[in-house]
Amino acid sequence: MTEPRNPGISSLPLTVPVQTDSSSSAVEMDPVEYTLRKRLPRKLPKRRNDVYVNMKTDFRAQLARCQKLLDGGGHREICVHGLGLAINRAINIALQLQASSQGALQLAANTSTVELVDDLEPEDPDEAGEPMTRTRNNSAIHIKVFYPDPQ
Amino acid sequence: MFTGCGVVAGQTQYLPKDAVRPLTGLMVTRSNPAENGVTAGTCPGYHAQTYSPSVQPAVVNDSIPLKPPPAPAPPRALKLGQEGFKKVCRTEEDSPCPFPGLASGVLEMRVKEGSKIRNLMGFAMARMQGGEGVNAAGMSGGGLRQVVFTGSGRAVTKTITCAEIMKRKVGSLHQLTKLRYKVVKEVWESTEGGASEMTVHRTVPSISILLSKDPLDPQEPGYQPPETLSALWEEKEGVDSASQTACKRPLGPLPYSGVAHCKKVCLGEGLSVVPPQ
């Protein structure tokens, strides 16, 4: 199961030599090593027809899941979300769904920016490094895959 | 990462006809018409029930009409290279503009994998804000009215990022996003002499984002009104909270999950006032 809320996958124990940027008070190079922990993206709406695409699950499994929602799940529309690198995969899934439906499905894509927070935790607690956070932006896509209403 | 059994079964069916050639899964146009016919004939039926190719995390999708072999093998390009083939040229087939009715002089930013965002944005922002290029179509006073960002394959993410940056900097831009497959033709040539040449068609997902200072048709799929920066998520959460409450997934023991949970509860209550459609 691709539970994105699993805290286990969120912590990437990378050691980054933290450099003092111009905004911080320290002037000399900071020797303290930090562990960069990437927090998970916040506030994910989770309906039954929301699919969050990631890069860890097999592509075909994710595609099959979407197909199942549309075919057997009785949904007339699903929402495929992708963040960062997974944008490509989300687009791929949406286009594959559309292709296999022989044109019955339509796509409506929206893009957005998601603010992500990284925690910097000092490696060595004895040293005077303070935990810090950094925010950065990443792009995201939300593709509505739907059967257009007959008019 | 490995392929399912269904695909493998399909593959065995498919292979014998093609066993001579190592390049299963590629629709190959060789000089030999008979062989080509076989490939073309078998491919569509075969591919109809199998799914996509993105076996590897490689971003470029290898084709709908062509089925890649379900192997944990290195990327296709490498494989072709190992078989003694060299890519001689790569042409992107011209595809019609995804935005019908768009003025012909609209600035189109073609984002490539190696494009620098600062270069792209420096140019595009100058055209959108400044008074340069006065003769370009779609001009009226302070800069261009519309800009299109297009990118395919690995450049898709960058394309979206550019559009997002521009929306943030310029403000109140209407957006129209279109997705489609783009066909790329590659010609491979045998390196071991001989005049064997192959043409490979592969399809790559591509995105086109139109940003406009003037209003666009809101009925068009893929339309996004201005300033939906964060509203997108909230709104979606609100729209059918009914189904959301029905769908209860246990939240992990995550430090942040508490917050998220609170939020959901609040939203659910708030929506009893505003009935969902």
Side-chain angles (χ1 to χ4, degrees), chain B residues 221-267:
Chain B
Y223 171 77
Q224 237 174 301
E227 334 298 356
T228 42
L229 291 177
S230 59
L232 208 65
W233 297 79
E234 315 280 357
E235 172 200 336
K236 274 186 185 154
E237 208 164 355
V239 164
D240 32 1
S241 68
S243 67
Q244 193 197 354
T245 42
C247 163
K248 273 287 169 244
R249 282 180 91 179
L251 295 167
L254 201 64
Y256 326 106
S257 71
V259 183
H261 203 61
C262 285
K263 180 147 196 152
K264 271 184 195 168
V265 171
C266 294
L267 264 173

Short mmCIF file of all heavy atoms in Angstrom, two decimals, chain B residues 221-267:
data_model
loop_
_atom_site.label_atom_id
_atom_site.label_comp_id
_atom_site.label_asym_id
_atom_site.label_seq_id
_atom_site.Cartn_x
_atom_site.Cartn_y
_atom_site.Cartn_z
N PRO B 221 -11.56 22.49 -20.68
CA PRO B 221 -10.88 21.64 -19.70
C PRO B 221 -9.43 22.07 -19.52
O PRO B 221 -8.75 22.33 -20.51
CB PRO B 221 -10.94 20.23 -20.32
CG PRO B 221 -11.91 20.30 -21.43
CD PRO B 221 -12.06 21.72 -21.83
N GLY B 222 -9.03 22.16 -18.29
CA GLY B 222 -7.66 22.58 -18.02
C GLY B 222 -7.54 24.06 -17.74
O GLY B 222 -6.44 24.58 -17.61
N TYR B 223 -8.69 24.74 -17.63
CA TYR B 223 -8.65 26.18 -17.33
C TYR B 223 -8.47 26.39 -15.84
O TYR B 223 -9.02 25.65 -15.01
CB TYR B 223 -9.93 26.86 -17.79
CG TYR B 223 -10.05 28.28 -17.32
CD1 TYR B 223 -9.33 29.29 -17.93
CD2 TYR B 223 -10.85 28.60 -16.23
CE1 TYR B 223 -9.41 30.59 -17.48
CE2 TYR B 223 -10.94 29.91 -15.78
CZ TYR B 223 -10.22 30.90 -16.41
OH TYR B 223 -10.29 32.17 -15.95
N GLN B 224 -7.69 27.38 -15.52
CA GLN B 224 -7.47 27.74 -14.12
C GLN B 224 -7.59 29.24 -14.00
O GLN B 224 -6.85 29.98 -14.65
CB GLN B 224 -6.05 27.34 -13.73
CG GLN B 224 -5.94 26.40 -12.57
CD GLN B 224 -4.50 25.98 -12.38
OE1 GLN B 224 -3.87 25.42 -13.27
NE2 GLN B 224 -3.98 26.27 -11.21
N PRO B 225 -8.51 29.71 -13.18
CA PRO B 225 -8.63 31.16 -13.00
C PRO B 225 -7.44 31.71 -12.22
O PRO B 225 -6.70 30.94 -11.61
CB PRO B 225 -9.93 31.30 -12.21
CG PRO B 225 -10.12 29.99 -11.54
CD PRO B 225 -9.49 28.97 -12.42
N PRO B 226 -7.25 33.01 -12.24
CA PRO B 226 -6.13 33.60 -11.50
C PRO B 226 -6.24 33.37 -10.00
O PRO B 226 -7.33 33.15 -9.48
CB PRO B 226 -6.23 35.08 -11.82
CG PRO B 226 -7.11 35.19 -12.99
CD PRO B 226 -8.02 34.02 -12.97
N GLU B 227 -5.12 33.46 -9.36
CA GLU B 227 -4.98 33.34 -7.89
C GLU B 227 -5.69 32.12 -7.32
O GLU B 227 -6.52 32.22 -6.44
CB GLU B 227 -5.52 34.58 -7.13
CG GLU B 227 -5.53 35.91 -7.84
CD GLU B 227 -4.17 36.42 -8.25
OE1 GLU B 227 -3.16 35.79 -7.93
OE2 GLU B 227 -4.15 37.45 -8.93
N THR B 228 -5.36 30.99 -7.86
CA THR B 228 -5.82 29.77 -7.20
C THR B 228 -4.62 29.07 -6.59
O THR B 228 -4.46 27.88 -6.69
CB THR B 228 -6.50 28.81 -8.17
OG1 THR B 228 -5.74 28.80 -9.36
CG2 THR B 228 -7.91 29.18 -8.44
N LEU B 229 -3.78 29.89 -5.99
CA LEU B 229 -2.50 29.33 -5.56
C LEU B 229 -2.68 28.18 -4.58
O LEU B 229 -2.27 27.06 -4.83
CB LEU B 229 -1.64 30.43 -4.94
CG LEU B 229 -1.14 31.46 -5.95
CD1 LEU B 229 -0.36 32.56 -5.28
CD2 LEU B 229 -0.28 30.77 -7.00
N SER B 230 -3.34 28.48 -3.50
CA SER B 230 -3.52 27.40 -2.53
C SER B 230 -4.98 26.96 -2.49
O SER B 230 -5.30 25.94 -1.92
CB SER B 230 -3.08 27.87 -1.15
OG SER B 230 -3.86 29.00 -0.80
N ALA B 231 -5.82 27.75 -3.10
CA ALA B 231 -7.25 27.48 -3.02
C ALA B 231 -7.60 26.13 -3.63
O ALA B 231 -8.59 25.51 -3.27
CB ALA B 231 -8.03 28.57 -3.74
N LEU B 232 -6.75 25.70 -4.53
CA LEU B 232 -7.01 24.45 -5.23
C LEU B 232 -7.23 23.29 -4.28
O LEU B 232 -8.14 22.50 -4.44
CB LEU B 232 -5.81 24.17 -6.11
CG LEU B 232 -6.06 23.36 -7.36
CD1 LEU B 232 -6.96 24.14 -8.27
CD2 LEU B 232 -4.77 23.04 -8.03
N TRP B 233 -6.39 23.23 -3.29
CA TRP B 233 -6.47 22.09 -2.38
C TRP B 233 -7.69 22.22 -1.48
O TRP B 233 -8.42 21.27 -1.30
CB TRP B 233 -5.22 22.04 -1.53
CG TRP B 233 -3.99 21.82 -2.31
CD1 TRP B 233 -3.30 22.75 -3.03
CD2 TRP B 233 -3.32 20.58 -2.51
NE1 TRP B 233 -2.24 22.16 -3.64
CE2 TRP B 233 -2.22 20.84 -3.33
CE3 TRP B 233 -3.54 19.30 -2.04
CZ2 TRP B 233 -1.33 19.85 -3.72
CZ3 TRP B 233 -2.64 18.31 -2.42
CH2 TRP B 233 -1.56 18.59 -3.25
N GLU B 234 -7.88 23.39 -0.96
CA GLU B 234 -8.99 23.59 -0.02
C GLU B 234 -10.31 23.30 -0.71
O GLU B 234 -11.14 22.56 -0.21
CB GLU B 234 -9.01 25.05 0.45
CG GLU B 234 -7.68 25.62 0.84
CD GLU B 234 -7.26 25.20 2.22
OE1 GLU B 234 -8.06 24.52 2.88
OE2 GLU B 234 -6.14 25.54 2.63
N GLU B 235 -10.41 23.90 -1.88
CA GLU B 235 -11.66 23.79 -2.61
C GLU B 235 -11.99 22.34 -2.91
O GLU B 235 -13.10 21.88 -2.75
CB GLU B 235 -11.50 24.59 -3.91
CG GLU B 235 -12.61 24.45 -4.89
CD GLU B 235 -12.13 24.84 -6.27
OE1 GLU B 235 -11.15 25.62 -6.38
OE2 GLU B 235 -12.72 24.37 -7.24
N LYS B 236 -10.95 21.63 -3.31
CA LYS B 236 -11.17 20.23 -3.65
C LYS B 236 -11.60 19.46 -2.43
O LYS B 236 -12.43 18.57 -2.48
CB LYS B 236 -9.89 19.63 -4.20
CG LYS B 236 -9.78 19.87 -5.66
CD LYS B 236 -8.60 19.15 -6.21
CE LYS B 236 -8.42 19.51 -7.65
NZ LYS B 236 -7.05 19.36 -8.06
N GLU B 237 -11.00 19.84 -1.32
CA GLU B 237 -11.34 19.14 -0.09
C GLU B 237 -12.80 19.38 0.24
O GLU B 237 -13.48 18.52 0.75
CB GLU B 237 -10.45 19.68 1.02
CG GLU B 237 -10.20 18.68 2.09
CD GLU B 237 -9.03 19.10 2.96
OE1 GLU B 237 -8.37 20.10 2.67
OE2 GLU B 237 -8.80 18.41 3.95
N GLY B 238 -13.22 20.60 -0.05
CA GLY B 238 -14.58 20.95 0.31
C GLY B 238 -15.63 20.31 -0.59
O GLY B 238 -16.69 19.96 -0.11
N VAL B 239 -15.32 20.16 -1.84
CA VAL B 239 -16.34 19.84 -2.82
C VAL B 239 -17.12 18.59 -2.48
O VAL B 239 -18.32 18.63 -2.36
CB VAL B 239 -15.73 19.73 -4.23
CG1 VAL B 239 -16.68 19.03 -5.18
CG2 VAL B 239 -15.42 21.11 -4.75
N ASP B 240 -16.42 17.51 -2.29
CA ASP B 240 -17.20 16.40 -1.77
C ASP B 240 -16.60 15.89 -0.49
O ASP B 240 -15.82 14.96 -0.48
CB ASP B 240 -17.45 15.27 -2.77
CG ASP B 240 -16.30 15.09 -3.71
OD1 ASP B 240 -15.33 15.86 -3.55
OD2 ASP B 240 -16.35 14.23 -4.54
N SER B 241 -16.94 16.54 0.51
CA SER B 241 -16.51 16.09 1.82
C SER B 241 -17.35 14.90 2.25
O SER B 241 -16.99 14.17 3.15
CB SER B 241 -16.64 17.21 2.84
OG SER B 241 -18.01 17.46 3.02
N ALA B 242 -18.47 14.76 1.59
CA ALA B 242 -19.32 13.62 1.94
C ALA B 242 -18.58 12.32 1.68
O ALA B 242 -18.52 11.44 2.55
CB ALA B 242 -20.59 13.67 1.09
N SER B 243 -18.01 12.26 0.50
CA SER B 243 -17.28 11.04 0.19
C SER B 243 -16.02 10.96 1.03
O SER B 243 -15.50 9.89 1.28
CB SER B 243 -16.92 11.00 -1.28
OG SER B 243 -16.00 12.02 -1.55
N GLN B 244 -15.56 12.12 1.43
CA GLN B 244 -14.33 12.10 2.20
C GLN B 244 -14.58 11.53 3.59
O GLN B 244 -13.78 10.77 4.12
CB GLN B 244 -13.78 13.50 2.32
CG GLN B 244 -12.35 13.50 2.82
CD GLN B 244 -11.95 14.84 3.31
OE1 GLN B 244 -12.68 15.80 3.18
NE2 GLN B 244 -10.79 14.91 3.90
N THR B 245 -15.67 11.91 4.17
CA THR B 245 -15.95 11.40 5.50
C THR B 245 -16.22 9.90 5.44
O THR B 245 -15.92 9.16 6.35
CB THR B 245 -17.16 12.10 6.13
OG1 THR B 245 -18.15 12.23 5.11
CG2 THR B 245 -16.79 13.46 6.67
N ALA B 246 -16.77 9.50 4.30
CA ALA B 246 -17.01 8.07 4.15
C ALA B 246 -15.70 7.31 4.06
O ALA B 246 -15.60 6.18 4.50
CB ALA B 246 -17.83 7.82 2.89
N CYS B 247 -14.74 7.96 3.51
CA CYS B 247 -13.46 7.28 3.32
C CYS B 247 -12.56 7.56 4.50
O CYS B 247 -11.98 8.62 4.61
CB CYS B 247 -12.82 7.79 2.04
SG CYS B 247 -11.09 7.42 1.92
N LYS B 248 -12.49 6.64 5.36
CA LYS B 248 -11.65 6.83 6.53
C LYS B 248 -10.43 5.96 6.40
O LYS B 248 -10.50 4.74 6.35
CB LYS B 248 -12.40 6.46 7.80
CG LYS B 248 -13.20 7.61 8.34
CD LYS B 248 -12.29 8.66 8.97
CE LYS B 248 -13.03 9.94 9.27
NZ LYS B 248 -12.55 11.06 8.50
N ARG B 249 -9.34 6.63 6.33
CA ARG B 249 -8.11 5.86 6.34
C ARG B 249 -7.38 6.18 7.62
O ARG B 249 -7.31 7.34 8.01
CB ARG B 249 -7.26 6.24 5.14
CG ARG B 249 -7.76 5.62 3.89
CD ARG B 249 -6.92 6.02 2.76
NE ARG B 249 -5.83 5.08 2.56
CZ ARG B 249 -4.95 5.23 1.58
NH1 ARG B 249 -5.04 6.26 0.81
NH2 ARG B 249 -4.00 4.38 1.40
N PRO B 250 -6.88 5.19 8.24
CA PRO B 250 -6.18 5.45 9.48
C PRO B 250 -4.96 6.32 9.24
O PRO B 250 -4.15 6.03 8.37
CB PRO B 250 -5.77 4.06 9.96
CG PRO B 250 -5.79 3.21 8.74
CD PRO B 250 -6.85 3.78 7.86
N LEU B 251 -4.91 7.38 9.95
CA LEU B 251 -3.77 8.25 9.79
C LEU B 251 -2.62 7.69 10.60
O LEU B 251 -2.80 7.22 11.71
CB LEU B 251 -4.11 9.65 10.29
CG LEU B 251 -5.18 10.35 9.49
CD1 LEU B 251 -5.66 11.57 10.23
CD2 LEU B 251 -4.64 10.74 8.13
N GLY B 252 -1.49 7.75 10.02
CA GLY B 252 -0.32 7.21 10.69
C GLY B 252 0.01 8.01 11.94
O GLY B 252 -0.50 9.12 12.12
N PRO B 253 0.79 7.45 12.79
CA PRO B 253 1.20 8.17 14.00
C PRO B 253 2.23 9.23 13.67
O PRO B 253 3.37 9.17 14.09
CB PRO B 253 1.79 7.07 14.87
CG PRO B 253 2.28 6.04 13.89
CD PRO B 253 1.42 6.15 12.67
N LEU B 254 1.78 10.13 12.88
CA LEU B 254 2.69 11.13 12.36
C LEU B 254 2.56 12.38 13.20
O LEU B 254 1.45 12.74 13.60
CB LEU B 254 2.26 11.42 10.92
CG LEU B 254 3.27 12.03 9.99
CD1 LEU B 254 4.43 11.07 9.79
CD2 LEU B 254 2.61 12.33 8.68
N PRO B 255 3.62 13.06 13.44
CA PRO B 255 3.50 14.29 14.24
C PRO B 255 2.57 15.31 13.61
O PRO B 255 1.92 16.08 14.30
CB PRO B 255 4.93 14.81 14.28
CG PRO B 255 5.73 13.96 13.37
CD PRO B 255 5.00 12.70 13.20
N TYR B 256 2.50 15.30 12.31
CA TYR B 256 1.68 16.33 11.65
C TYR B 256 0.25 15.87 11.44
O TYR B 256 -0.60 16.63 11.08
CB TYR B 256 2.26 16.67 10.30
CG TYR B 256 3.74 16.61 10.28
CD1 TYR B 256 4.38 15.55 9.65
CD2 TYR B 256 4.49 17.54 10.97
CE1 TYR B 256 5.75 15.46 9.67
CE2 TYR B 256 5.86 17.43 10.99
CZ TYR B 256 6.49 16.40 10.32
OH TYR B 256 7.84 16.30 10.35
N SER B 257 0.04 14.60 11.64
CA SER B 257 -1.27 14.09 11.30
C SER B 257 -2.34 14.70 12.20
O SER B 257 -3.49 14.84 11.80
CB SER B 257 -1.29 12.57 11.40
OG SER B 257 -1.21 12.20 12.76
N GLY B 258 -1.92 15.04 13.39
CA GLY B 258 -2.89 15.65 14.29
C GLY B 258 -3.48 16.91 13.70
O GLY B 258 -4.68 17.11 13.70
N VAL B 259 -2.61 17.70 13.17
CA VAL B 259 -3.05 18.96 12.57
C VAL B 259 -3.99 18.68 11.40
O VAL B 259 -5.07 19.25 11.29
CB VAL B 259 -1.83 19.75 12.07
CG1 VAL B 259 -2.28 21.08 11.51
CG2 VAL B 259 -0.84 19.94 13.20
N ALA B 260 -3.55 17.78 10.58
CA ALA B 260 -4.35 17.48 9.40
C ALA B 260 -5.73 16.99 9.80
O ALA B 260 -6.73 17.35 9.20
CB ALA B 260 -3.64 16.41 8.57
N HIS B 261 -5.75 16.20 10.84
CA HIS B 261 -7.00 15.64 11.28
C HIS B 261 -7.95 16.73 11.76
O HIS B 261 -9.10 16.79 11.37
CB HIS B 261 -6.73 14.65 12.39
CG HIS B 261 -7.81 13.65 12.54
ND1 HIS B 261 -8.14 12.80 11.52
CD2 HIS B 261 -8.63 13.37 13.56
CE1 HIS B 261 -9.13 12.03 11.91
NE2 HIS B 261 -9.46 12.35 13.14
N CYS B 262 -7.40 17.61 12.57
CA CYS B 262 -8.20 18.72 13.08
C CYS B 262 -8.83 19.47 11.92
O CYS B 262 -10.00 19.77 11.92
CB CYS B 262 -7.32 19.70 13.83
SG CYS B 262 -6.84 19.07 15.42
N LYS B 263 -7.99 19.69 10.95
CA LYS B 263 -8.43 20.48 9.82
C LYS B 263 -9.63 19.82 9.14
O LYS B 263 -10.61 20.46 8.83
CB LYS B 263 -7.27 20.58 8.86
CG LYS B 263 -7.61 21.38 7.67
CD LYS B 263 -6.40 22.10 7.20
CE LYS B 263 -6.86 23.19 6.26
NZ LYS B 263 -6.02 24.28 6.21
N LYS B 264 -9.48 18.53 8.95
CA LYS B 264 -10.55 17.82 8.27
C LYS B 264 -11.86 17.92 9.03
O LYS B 264 -12.91 18.16 8.46
CB LYS B 264 -10.18 16.35 8.13
CG LYS B 264 -9.42 16.09 6.86
CD LYS B 264 -9.18 14.62 6.73
CE LYS B 264 -8.11 14.35 5.70
NZ LYS B 264 -7.67 12.98 5.75
N VAL B 265 -11.73 17.74 10.33
CA VAL B 265 -12.94 17.77 11.15
C VAL B 265 -13.62 19.13 11.01
O VAL B 265 -14.83 19.22 10.78
CB VAL B 265 -12.58 17.48 12.61
CG1 VAL B 265 -13.77 17.72 13.50
CG2 VAL B 265 -12.08 16.06 12.74
N CYS B 266 -12.82 20.17 11.11
CA CYS B 266 -13.39 21.51 10.99
C CYS B 266 -14.11 21.68 9.66
O CYS B 266 -15.22 22.18 9.60
CB CYS B 266 -12.29 22.56 11.07
SG CYS B 266 -11.51 22.59 12.67
N LEU B 267 -13.45 21.22 8.64
CA LEU B 267 -14.03 21.39 7.31
C LEU B 267 -15.35 20.68 7.20
O LEU B 267 -16.31 21.18 6.64
CB LEU B 267 -13.05 20.85 6.27
CG LEU B 267 -12.16 21.90 5.65
CD1 LEU B 267 -11.13 21.24 4.79
CD2 LEU B 267 -12.99 22.87 4.85
#
